[in-house]
Amino acid sequence: MRIALLVPLLISASCSARLAHQPNAIEREVREVENRRVQSLTGEDFVQLDRLLSDDLTYTHSNGRAQSKAELLAALRSREIAYVAMNHEDVRVGLYGDTAVLTGRSQLTVRADGHEVSFPVRFTLVYVKGMGQWRMVAWQSTRAPIVRTAAVRGDSRDRTPR
């Protein structure tokens, strides 16, 4: 009798655990919007990018410079800054009604002041859904430490924290 009750309970728990790790439809939708934003940013599709950014956007760069939507788009259009690549990793999505908060890491390659540089960042960004469309209202990035490992432990170039 105990086994007969235990088996359905274990199957139910197993299915619930699997569903908990799968993104739901809203999370997939937000991730797709973020993918389109990154493609628009790196592909210089400023018409599409304009549609994905809220008019009251606050965009804070990793150097602390904050820009409005108009200021960011003007800097991109004038090529004051250009995003050559933006590769996100370990992205987590938190859903709070019509608000989505994404956190993660990204490897950025940007061109500014005639120089192209690559560096890792940690980011937090916020999307809000209004009139049926997700729009980014905030971006904040912070440079992440570069961790290097050496082939031989104790090598003078090994800067890995222990």
Side-chain angles (χ1 to χ4, degrees):
M1 179 71 155
R2 285 184 188 173
I3 292 177
L5 292 173
L6 187 58
V7 170
L9 183 62
L10 289 174
I11 291 171
S12 176
S14 173
C15 290
S16 295
R18 269 190 254 132
L19 289 175
H21 295 319
Q22 294 178 355
N24 67 31
I26 297 170
E27 182 179 335
R28 285 191 303 272
E29 182 181 347
V30 170
R31 287 178 183 273
E32 177 54 37
V33 170
E34 176 57 8
N35 288 338
R36 285 198 320 266
R37 184 191 71 87
V38 169
Q39 290 170 355
S40 300
L41 186 63
T42 58
E44 298 184 338
D45 182 351
F46 303 130
V47 173
Q48 172 73 2
L49 186 61
D50 182 63
R51 285 189 217 119
L52 297 171
L53 304 178
S54 174
D55 289 340
D56 60 349
L57 171 74
T58 299
Y59 194 96
T60 306
H61 297 269
S62 63
N63 64 2
R65 179 179 181 196
Q67 292 182 307
S68 67
K69 174 183 177 177
E71 291 167 333
L72 175 64
L73 288 173
L76 293 167
R77 286 184 175 118
S78 70
R79 301 213 168 156
E80 176 187 327
I81 186 170
Y83 285 82
V84 177
M86 179 180 276
N87 299 302
H88 291 342
E89 297 177 354
D90 193 28
V91 177
R92 295 177 187 202
V93 178
L95 299 172
Y96 310 94
D98 288 338
T99 301
V101 177
L102 285 70
T103 59
R105 296 176 296 149
S106 195
Q107 182 67 35
L108 302 183
T109 302
V110 297
R111 193 174 311 114
D113 301 323
H115 302 285
E116 191 170 293
V117 294
S118 293
F119 52 91
V121 297
R122 288 207 170 270
F123 66 85
T124 300
L125 69 94
V126 180
Y127 279 101
V128 173
K129 190 170 191 176
M131 299 187 333
Q133 183 175 344
W134 290 100
R135 289 188 175 88
M136 188 170 78
V137 297
W139 165 272
Q140 167 72 53
S141 62
T142 303
R143 283 197 188 217
I146 299 173
V147 178
R148 293 187 174 96
T149 58
V152 178
R153 195 167 185 62
D155 183 317
S156 62
R157 293 172 290 160
D158 185 354
R159 306 286 186 247
T160 305
R162 302 211 196 295

